[in-house]
Amino acid sequence: MSVPRLMLSSLAGAGRFCVLGSGAARWKSVRARNRRGLSDLHPQLSPSQGFRDSPSWLPKNRSEPRSYITNPKLATTLVQILQKENRNRHQLFLECNPGPGILTQALLESQAKVIALECNRTFLPHLQSLRKKVNRKLEVVHCDFFKLDPRNSGIVKPPIMLSETLFQNLGIEALPWSEDNPLRVVGIFPAKNEKKILWKLLYDLYSSTSIYSYGRVQLNMFIAEKEYEKLVADPQNNLYQPLSVLWQVACEIKLLHVEPWSSFSIYNQAGGPKKSKNKEPLEQINKQNMCFIQLTPLQNLFTENLTSVNYDIFFHMLKQCFMKRHATLMDHLQSLSPVNAVAILKEIEKDGDMKITDLYPEDFKLLFETIESFRESCRWLFDDCIEDIIL
Amino acid sequence: MSAFRWGRGASGLRRALWPAGPPGPLAEEGALSGVWGRRRSLSASPCEQDRRKDWGHAELLEVLEARVRQLQAAHVSEVTVRRPRPARLPEAGGFQPRRKAQKGGEGTAPGLGGHWAQKLDQEKWAMQRRKQRLQAKLQVRAQQLACEHRLRMVPQLLSAPLAERLLRWEQETPRSPWEEQLARLLREAPRRLSCEAERAHEAGGAPARLEAQQQRLLAFLECCLLSGHLPLAHHVLVTCHSKWRQRRVLTLAAYNTVMLGWARKGFFKELVYVFFMVKDAGLTPDLLSYAAALQCMGRLDQDARTVQRCLDQMAQDGLRLQDLFSSVPLCQEEQAALLQAVHKAQPTFSPPLQPQPEPQVNTSPLLREIYAKEGPVSYPKLHLPLWKLQTLFQQQLRVEMATTVTVESVEKAQLLTKEVLHARRTLKQLRTAWVEALCAGLRDVKASEARAARSGRPTLFPYLCLLTERELARLLLQTLQVLPPQGESLLSLAQQLGLRVFNRHAVQKKQLSQVQALQQRYYQYLHLLASDTQVAVPCLPRQYWETLGAPEAPHEQPWPLPVLVQLGKRLAEMLVEVVRMPGSLAAPQGSCSLIPVLYHVYSFRSFRQIGILKPHPAFTQLLATAAEHTLTFEAAEVPMLCPPLPWTSPHTGAFLLSPTKLVRSVEGTTQHQRLLDSCPPAELHGALDALTQLGNCAWRVNGRVLDLVLELFAAKGCPRLGVPAPPSEAPRPPEGRLPPDASPAQKAELRRELARCLKVAREMHSLRSDALYRLSLAQHLRHCVFWLPHNMDFRGRTYPCPPHFNHLGSDLARALLEFAQGRPLGPRGLDWLKIHLVNLTGLKKREPLQARLVFADEVMEDVLDSADRPMTGRKWWMEVEEPWQALACCMEIARAVRAPDPAAYVSHFPVHQDGSCNGLQHYAALGRDSIGAASVNLLPSDVPQDVYSGVAAQVEVFRSQDAKRGVRVAQVLEGFISRKVVKQTVMTVVYGVTRYGGRLQIERRLRELSDFPQEFVWEASHYLVRQVFNSLQEMFSGTRAIQHWLTESARLIAHAGSAVEWVTPLGIPIIQPYHRDSKVMIGGGIQSLTFSHSGDTSQRPNTLKQKNGFPPNFIHSLDSSHMMLTALHCYRKGLTFVSVHDCFWTHAADVEVMNQVCREQFVRLHSQPILHNLSRFLMKRFCSGSRSPQHLKSMRTGKLQDTLKSVPKTGAFDLKQVKHSTYFFS
């Protein structure tokens, strides 16, 4: 890509953030600036005296690097892709961490309504000014999309938010699962904990909580190629794992676009370009492509036997199965369920001698539903693991 | 065969023997020799079998041989049997000859017969032929097997000259004695200098791993010796030695171990082989090696010249002959052999006398009085006569020899319906089948482990041979029985199993060697304690015990943690593989397929997987239906039936046979044990005597309270009173499924409800089983006197060893116990009972004693009502803070006031005195904080002070100031600052609570306040925790400075690479076992296990834990010292004394004496320059420079030195005033 990359400083007019200085000074100035920007959404969040003593609610790793779209050409391409299959031109987009807002602008220009969820305070003023320019077709919220609805229900302080509060404030209504998707999310999975986020989203999806309690929310995300391969792996691929099965069962996965990593810019939380402190892992990522994928939850995901009440047993079953990948289906059936294995095999029309990982995602779903449909009082050998929820 | 069975047999015999007054001496002798004779045969026969196995013969050989023996037994006369034996095996004990003689006797009988003698002869002839055929077959097979895997004897040496020489000598054996060879070997200087260093360098990256491997190999070799597999040990040694890569796991200790094994048996040639290897490895023989060589010579009766040469060489190596006897741990028999050899060369040599422990006296100034010979002493005696105590000892011995105790459950008995009976029958059948299956499985495992060992790897084989298969099988079934329905993690199960095998083995070993000596000594010892005997000089139990004989034999070394886990894991795996049950129990015929009883599943926590063994629901169901009415406990989990053995060293004391450690610690943490072993024995006397004394308190069950509790327990329980409800009371999840069109919110709600029910049910289950164990044990011991042996944690805090039933539990647990020994109430006893009752109610905490007494008299009617009609009356007792103890107290008071003369009423009831915020008391005394001291009752005062109210008041002062200045939070908080809000934080600040934790505590309290505006909780909790800390700073200025100083010192010490160590005022050495986690992985099998272990001293210390742990640990070491001092002085005054950390118990009549002792000892303790002593000790330990200078960079040392030197200044509080403070402990 030959397009000159825009530097953050030139966009945000916040050049001094990039100047190396003591962290504390930088932090203070950020806070001072944000007071104004946040006040209309969160009036109660005036910095209180407690702040100075306890920064414990702040993200642990402040300089977690994130990548941003800074290439206008890429932004245009993406908007074209997104709008191509869209019937409603004024559809609502939820953009995660727009950063300098290149894609945001492109989206706005295509008549879409955009909500920008930015977790980095540094970018907020710039986004706010953008908001004024486009006459409120843009909403800006200081919020980390990937940390919505924390499970260990600690104190919820921005950028960590509850989806309920967020959506209520934005006036978004829940749609039933059978309806079309209520909104589309656009963004980039943070490189560092993609796996964790993918799991969190799965839990939200299968339990119809968090964003998925508002309907079949569609994700349009950039993801590292390697992770993408895992998502779409099948029995022939040795990347095949519970994550693949669960996503393939739950969503229609479409690959929309592939982009080399080099078209993105990386900034750390403080807003400066990424320093080369731990260069190795990034260099590795650099060699990868990023895949722009679309994850649309399937309308027929939930059935009589797979519901958002018993989904965790399905999760657990998959994890158990993949822990012993080389065992046969028969072996697994015996340690999964006290229900007669032969009866189950007959029902799903499979051979007990086949390797467990030769089952396709839909086979796993069928297997689960079959066992669930038995009316024995005890259908699973592990059904008391209900609380073992990750994250 | 099994020790279990033999134990029962023996005890049966014994029951017939001992209580039976004066039986004829002949009969007794006969019976005894029967017992011991049988034992000998037991110990001999497995040994013999095993040895044969090691010489390379496999099972078939055994079968064939057994057949030969069978034939022999059937028909022996003139035929002499030459059993094929490997070369140089000595005869195996007295077993064989005796049997032969018997057979001879039998054999002569048929020879007399008349006409059918011919027929017999014919038969005999036929038999003989068959036998010959068999023998021939046997020999062939034996040779084959021997070729297949013969154990290696001759080492393969790396150094060419050595190897050549070995070969030469080997071939010329007849002419050149091995003794010559040894002498030459010894003369030679080590071939390669510091080969060890070279290797260590080579190992480079993973010294910790290498160390672990070395440890494992060493443990393997030792265990081979124990289980009689010496040739196998030698084989593995030779194999490792011959491979360059494996050689680095060999240490001198490993060679010495094998050498010692050969020496014990008197096998000289093999011993020399090992010496060859030692030389080849470039190691220098040490004292142990020489001890082994000399011992062997002694046994073989070598000539003087050989011995002399060996001794000369030893002298040249700079090793002293005297040290052989003083610093090498050898048993008496070994020493005798050693001495025999030495006497050959130096007939006049006499070994140095064992240093008798008497000249050693504890040096702590605090203990001087305790060990002073002069002055009045009235050590308490037990209330039981000698004969009774002796009977009790026999009972306890029987229990421990049986290793398990079966106790009737207090769960309501099931009606014996057909179904129940059927289930019980099924279970019984299954168990019988399982024992057989497990035995077979164990044989397979052993065979495969033995094969693996032959390839030169240290495997589990010898560990599996320590116990009989049947015993292991039973142990496994016990584990299966108690597995909770939701399963248990494989790791902890493995560790438990390994530990239990070790403990059983230790018991068995003691049982075989020490029981008689123990009994004799214990009977003597009882003269000190019994009510009807006297000893010449009054002394402490430990002192008396020491005068009764030599110190005990060296104790069993614990196995390394990885070995424990590996062994346990192997056993658990076998359990999974082997134990099966019919798939459907409904079908009466066993036609259906078998399903495994245990499953290996995974539980997922975040991204970690935890392997879990889970019983099949059908098995759980079966157990539930059968509702078996017994519980099985390990012998060491039940209180003792006789006074515990006095603690005489860090590993001898408490239970008669079960091994107990003085310092309890996480398994695998060895530093405490090492530290204790290396410190002069006399320094530990304070702790040893205090623990002995705590354990010597006799207890009994409070039957009336137990009855009431059992009544509730059998009904629906009563969670409010601490009696857990049965599972039938658990909340049920809503029935049925949701309609398909239910909203996500409904579904989420359902899920939450399900999860909640499950969680509650599980909690209830664990509470219920806890109570079941406790109550069943109480019921079991209802009519007994029993003892709770004590040990301590690494800071010196004491705990009773039996885990389920002791005085250190909830209100309910405490109420079930009372002193077995009674004391008349005396003039003030009744008043103390009343005051104690009021204390238990928690109602008059801030009233003076007199007011409490008045209150007690006011409510006397309620008290009597509670005592008489606890469940039907006004139930006054149920509403108070500690209901069960209050009830017990009510009953005691009722009995006392109704006695004709209350002062003469004999009371068994323990009365408690609590320190008020004991941690802060110690801090205030250390820092001589006047305000602080007053608030924690170190100053005499008319009414008890309450530090929490004090802090709350101080916080309120700060708040109102802030409110005036317009601070919003301060204004919001007006009227909400109470004692309750700050209490937990103040209490835990001594134990190192941080602002973070403190804020959470306060947040919880604020959330409980319904009228507090909840949106301010976060901010307010933040504000409050800061104010609490400020207030404490204001009131306890010295305290905060000391805490800071301790933390900073610990930080610097940890930074310098050491774990913090100190010595308590009583002289107990303490080390903080916090290191960075070391990971141990055990692969293979159903799952590879990884566990991290924070007690590994080869890792760098964990600075955060070292630093945060030091202040609380230090204060705990002080409060434990105070408790021990009080205990010892009370004992000297003849009082009964026990403690729950900072809560001291004694008889009502003695409360005043105890209180006085407690105050005096507190003053004496703090009159010591504790902080200066600490500073001096730390300086010497960590700054003296000689120690690990490579870690300590000079700048760091300087900083550490400066910090250590600047001991915090103290305030102006006059410590003496404590002596007059009524409410110091009240």
Side-chain angles (χ1 to χ4, degrees), chain B residues 127 218 259 391 411 479 487 595 626 733 866 1138:
Chain B
M127 283 283 227
L218 189 62
M259 220 185 283
T391 325
E411 198 75 77
T479 314
I595 54 161
S866 295
V1138 283

Side-chain angles (χ1 to χ4, degrees), chain A residues 319-333:
Chain A
K319 287 180 179 175
Q320 293 285 0
C321 288
F322 279 87
M323 277 307 288
K324 295 174 186 166
R325 297 179 74 107
H326 300 292
T328 63
L329 176 57
M330 189 65 183
D331 287 343
H332 272 289
L333 282 182

Side-chain angles (χ1 to χ4, degrees), chain A residues 215-256:
Chain A
R216 296 190 292 126
V217 173
Q218 183 192 60
L219 301 182
N220 299 276
M221 298 297 235
F222 270 108
I223 185 170
E225 194 167 22
K226 203 157 181 199
E227 291 297 316
Y228 168 70
E229 279 169 11
K230 281 183 201 159
L231 284 193
V232 295
D234 61 8
Q236 278 83 47
N237 191 330
N238 56 6
L239 290 174
Y240 194 45
Q241 53 182 290
L243 200 72
S244 338
V245 176
L246 288 171
W247 276 111
Q248 289 174 46
V249 166
C251 291
E252 186 194 0
I253 305 174
K254 255 195 224 168
L255 178 61
L256 301 176

Side-chain angles (χ1 to χ4, degrees), chain A residues 53-54 155 320 381 384, chain B residues 602 614 747 762 1018 1022 1026:
Chain A
D53 293 317
S54 165
I155 298 154
Q320 293 285 0
L381 285 171
D384 41 12
Chain B
Y602 286 95
K614 194 177 150 144
K747 287 178 182 165
R762 260 192 218 165
W1018 189 81
H1022 218 282
R1026 218 162 24 150

Side-chain angles (χ1 to χ4, degrees), chain A residues 48-51 53-54 56-57 155 157 195-196 199 207-209 212-213 302 304-305 307-312 315-316 319-320 323-324 334-338 372-375 378-391, chain B residues 485-487 580 593-596 599-607 609 614-618 737-738 740 743-748 750-751 754-756 758-759 762 966-969 995-996 999-1000 1003 1007 1018-1019 1022-1023 1026 1086:
Chain A
S48 64
Q49 303 157 312
F51 275 22
D53 293 317
S54 165
S56 64
W57 55 271
I155 298 154
K157 286 261 161 188
K195 189 175 157 198
K196 237 181 184 167
W199 272 106
S207 62
S208 321
T209 51
Y212 291 104
S213 60
F302 296 114
E304 193 194 343
N305 290 314
T307 65
S308 52
V309 178
N310 67 5
Y311 76 95
D312 56 333
F315 278 39
H316 203 105
K319 287 180 179 175
Q320 293 285 0
M323 277 307 288
K324 295 174 186 166
Q334 291 207 335
S335 62
L336 282 175
S337 166
E372 268 293 295
S373 69
F374 279 88
R375 286 289 166 248
C378 176
R379 288 185 295 270
W380 299 98
L381 285 171
F382 49 76
D383 56 356
D384 41 12
C385 317
I386 211 159
E387 317 142 89
D388 300 339
I389 292 173
I390 64 156
L391 301 168
Chain B
Q486 72 268 22
R580 288 171 176 268
S593 60
L594 292 178
I595 54 161
Y599 284 90
H600 176 242
V601 293
Y602 286 95
S603 167
F604 302 90
R605 306 265 147 79
S606 192
F607 288 109
Q609 302 94 35
K614 194 177 150 144
H616 194 283
R737 296 177 157 213
L738 283 176
S743 71
Q746 273 175 304
K747 287 178 182 165
L750 178 64
R751 275 185 51 75
L754 279 173
R756 193 188 65 83
L758 200 67
K759 192 167 164 233
R762 260 192 218 165
V967 178
R968 181 84 194 284
V969 200
R995 285 198 177 185
Y996 179 78
R999 196 194 65 71
L1000 290 179
E1003 183 187 317
R1007 288 206 189 281
W1018 189 81
E1019 221 175 320
H1022 218 282
Y1023 172 80
R1026 218 162 24 150
I1086 46 177

Side-chain angles (χ1 to χ4, degrees), chain B residues 29 103 138 181 247 271 322 353 359 479 602 720 774 843 859 868 878 919 922 1021 1054 1111 1148 1160 1164:
Chain B
E29 240 178 66
K103 280 175 222 144
L138 178 72
Q181 191 56 44
R247 211 192 245 199
L271 183 99
Q322 307 283 335
L353 286 172
T479 314
Y602 286 95
R720 195 171 53 89
R774 169 172 299 131
L843 293 174
V859 294
D868 295 338
M878 286 192 191
H922 282 282
S1021 59
E1160 276 169 9
R1164 290 200 47 215

